[in-house]
Amino acid sequence: MRMTRYFLPVLKENPAEAQIVSHRYMLRAGMIKQQAAGIYSWLPLGYKVLKRIEQIVHEEQARAGHIPLLMPTLQPADLWRESGRYDDYGQEMLRIKDRQGRDMLYGPTNEEMITDIFRSHVNSYKDLPLTLYHIQWKFRDEMRPRFGVMRGREFLMKDGYNFDLTVEDALHAYNRHLVSYLRTYERMGLQAIPMRADSGPIGGEDTHEFLVLAETGESEVFYDSAVTDISLGARDIDYDDKAQCKAVMEEFTSLYARTDETHDEAAFNAIPEERRKCARGIEVGQIFFFGTKYSEAMGATVVTPDGSKVPVQMGSHGIGVSRLLGAIIEASHDDKGIIWPEGVTPFHCGIVNLKQGDDDTDAACEGIYKALQKAGLDPLYDDRNDRAGAKFATMDLIGLPWRITVGPRGLKNGVVELTSRRTGESVEMTADDAVARIIEIYAGH
Ligand code: ATP
Ligand code: MG
């Protein structure tokens, strides 16, 4: 993309309404525009990152064997009357009447609808296991929408639902989700720690939230600092291997890590004092095993191998796709702007022309731009006729991890400059080498 043809409405001033850094930078970098409290337009730069995050989620869901579909945002109230949640959900649910007077709602989540799809089409154990998911907009009429996309009213969520014959199989689905979520977040350059959350009907093990540590997080968390030393990395995972998934789940959840809802002072105090941490975190996902809660209420049964009929075992698993943009920025920025991890950056590399209109620098920039595109990468070329300082400030604000700077002085010596946004380090090299280096960096992403 050429900057002169792009739509990047960068703000010079700090917007007064933004209380936290991610919200401030998302507004300043022209990524979002608020349209009503907690409701945003996604401007091109923000939309690009949103799509990158979605893409990673889809890829990791596919790897785990989960199947995408798409359910609507508007749902009939009757489904929710079957589960009893229509009345329970309270004011967070946006209720609408259509012209026929039928009660509708803007879905805050989809357990009822997916259970309805399941019961309409599946009735045998032979069709199990099955995990269906979608990435769809949700609406929750939050009491206090704030912090930009972190706590919106309309927000994008990946929500997935597993259907299994036995509790054992459903717990495997739970573990499989936990492992696939770890990989998903790591690909986004995030450490998201599974923490035991409010326990449901089956006991303590049946729900974990994933938290990114950040001072601005809304959850209070307590953990053993040793959990921050483990990562999934490039391990080979066989998602059908129950024992392997269980072992990874145990590795990541045996150390103490809990939100305030389940915090246990005595267990916490048993950790060596220097490892006891109390901090704040951003919830970027949650996995849940709830057994037959919805299948029983809604009559979603399957025939077992011995011919009897049982309600299907279920769980649901969510990732806060739009909230993740905020979480990533909270975890990765400096006083000049955002620092995107390579996995989610809106453009792979910025190109700054220090002397627009100069035949040599123009030609060198064009060459780099085309070479990167030819390699399947997505560069952003700042071809504006502007001061170098202004171009650098924009690049730093929008946070592309790599920048190639091209100026007449360097070109005389046959070099351009490759700069890392994260470290600020610059290295001089030929344009060809800079392009090769960028290609190499992204080969793993
Ligand atoms: P919270 O406790 O933050 O209100 P939740 O536990 O009600 O969230 P879930 O039902 O678990 O949310 O939804 C799955 C994921 O969707 C959450 O982990 C979070 O990342 C995201 N999410 C929930 N509510 C919002 C919101 N209002 N704005 C943006 N993302 C949200
Ligand atoms: Mg939650």
Side-chain angles (χ1 to χ4, degrees):
M1 181 56 64
R2 292 166 202 275
M3 197 86 99
T4 49
R5 299 196 192 157
Y6 201 43
F7 180 61
L8 187 68
V10 165
L11 306 179
K12 292 237 157 54
E13 303 298 320
N14 267 330
E17 74 267 30
Q19 297 164 16
I20 61 171
V21 69
S22 56
H23 188 196
R24 200 154 56 233
Y25 283 156
M26 285 185 79
L27 291 170
R28 282 198 44 208
M31 297 176 68
I32 51 170
K33 176 178 181 343
Q34 182 173 307
Q35 305 292 171
I39 300 178
Y40 291 88
S41 287
W42 293 80
L43 304 183
L45 193 73
Y47 185 58
K48 238 167 174 306
V49 180
L50 193 67
K51 287 286 156 191
R52 287 256 146 95
I53 290 175
E54 270 189 63
Q55 184 59 30
I56 291 177
V57 172
H58 279 305
E59 285 170 14
E60 294 307 321
Q61 288 298 301
R63 210 194 285 268
H66 304 161
I67 300 166
L69 48 47
L70 185 62
M71 292 175 270
T73 52
L74 293 183
Q75 306 186 18
D78 281 344
L79 276 182
W80 290 67
R81 292 195 173 102
E82 285 188 55
S83 71
R85 283 210 293 182
Y86 189 61
D87 292 325
D88 291 353
Y89 220 92
Q91 292 203 299
E92 262 191 28
M93 180 183 275
L94 181 64
R95 294 153 207 262
I96 306 159
K97 262 194 207 304
D98 69 12
R99 67 199 295 168
Q100 317 289 351
R102 279 181 296 243
D103 290 322
M104 309 284 290
L105 57 98
Y106 195 129
T109 177
N110 284 63
E111 279 81 5
E112 283 78 359
M113 190 170 276
I114 200 80
T115 306
D116 178 56
I117 291 172
F118 183 88
R119 71 181 172 185
S120 306
H121 300 287
V122 182
N123 49 39
S124 164
Y125 74 93
K126 290 182 190 151
D127 294 325
L128 305 182
L130 178 66
T131 294
L132 300 169
Y133 79 94
H134 70 164
I135 298 181
Q136 178 62 292
W137 295 94
K138 304 289 184 288
F139 195 95
R140 294 183 186 173
D141 204 350
E142 300 272 358
M143 177 103 91
R144 279 207 296 161
R146 57 185 184 153
F147 301 158
V149 300
M150 290 273 220
R151 184 163 299 282
R153 292 197 296 165
E154 188 185 55
F155 60 96
L156 192 59
M157 194 204 285
K158 171 264 164 181
D159 43 322
Y161 306 87
N162 67 285
F163 299 92
D164 290 278
L165 180 61
T166 63
V167 171
E168 190 207 334
D169 288 349
L171 289 176
H172 171 57
Y174 185 89
N175 298 339
R176 197 175 64 228
H177 278 87
L178 187 139
V179 179
S180 73
Y181 278 24
L182 290 170
R183 196 192 285 283
T184 303
Y185 298 122
E186 283 186 16
R187 282 190 59 190
M188 298 175 191
L190 278 180
Q191 179 168 49
I193 305 168
M195 300 206 180
R196 185 181 292 183
D198 222 356
S199 65
I202 306 290
E205 293 288 5
D206 58 358
T207 181
H208 283 87
E209 290 178 354
F210 288 78
L211 284 115
V212 173
L213 298 174
E215 275 164 34
T216 48
E218 292 187 281
S219 313
E220 191 177 18
V221 299
F222 301 84
Y223 63 96
D224 179 335
S225 64
V227 293
T228 59
D229 297 333
I230 40 179
S231 68
L232 195 66
R235 289 184 224 193
D236 206 8
I237 303 282
D238 174 355
Y239 285 101
D240 290 328
D241 183 337
K242 292 186 177 175
Q244 190 194 22
C245 291
K246 183 157 190 268
V248 175
M249 183 278 284
E250 281 169 352
E251 177 187 349
F252 279 83
T253 58
S254 348
L255 288 163
Y256 191 93
R258 298 192 187 187
T259 62
D260 54 358
E261 290 162 352
T262 55
H263 181 52
D264 174 344
E265 202 63 42
F268 187 58
N269 287 333
I271 306 168
E273 194 171 355
E274 69 281 6
R275 286 180 11 210
R276 261 178 246 159
K277 303 282 173 202
C278 168
R280 303 200 67 83
I282 302 165
E283 183 194 326
V284 292
Q286 182 162 22
I287 54 176
F288 222 105
F289 167 60
F290 48 70
T292 59
K293 183 173 168 191
Y294 297 92
S295 55
E296 241 172 278
M298 297 181 64
T301 56
V302 280
V303 175
T304 68
D306 66 20
S308 58
K309 247 189 188 179
V310 295
V312 70
Q313 297 285 337
M314 291 174 63
S316 67
H317 315 278
I319 293 180
V321 173
S322 51
R323 179 180 286 180
L324 272 165
L325 277 94
I328 292 168
I329 297 172
E330 289 296 324
S332 185
H333 67 268
D334 63 14
D335 56 5
K336 293 186 213 148
I338 302 164
I339 306 173
W340 291 115
E342 274 89 357
V344 299
T345 184
F347 294 97
H348 296 106
C349 176
I351 303 167
V352 169
N353 186 341
L354 292 179
K355 199 170 181 197
Q356 204 69 44
D358 175 273
D359 286 348
D360 291 341
T361 59
D362 286 3
C365 287
E366 287 295 328
I368 294 167
Y369 182 62
K370 298 219 168 95
L372 288 170
Q373 282 186 326
K374 207 166 152 208
L377 295 173
D378 198 1
L380 179 64
Y381 171 21
D382 192 342
D383 58 344
R384 294 172 304 170
N385 205 347
D386 209 342
R387 291 179 302 114
K391 292 188 176 188
F392 290 145
T394 302
M395 283 293 174
D396 284 345
L397 174 63
I398 68 173
L400 310 186
W402 298 95
R403 187 184 80 208
I404 297 174
T405 308
V406 182
R409 214 174 317 148
L411 282 186
K412 254 190 214 132
N413 302 320
V415 294
V416 300
E417 206 177 60
L418 178 64
T419 305
S420 155
R421 173 71 182 86
R422 191 169 293 281
T423 65
E425 257 175 307
S426 291
V427 186
E428 289 190 339
M429 58 183 82
T430 65
D432 285 351
D433 284 350
V435 167
R437 181 81 191 98
I438 297 291
I439 294 172
E440 185 186 312
I441 287 166
Y442 285 103
H445 288 277

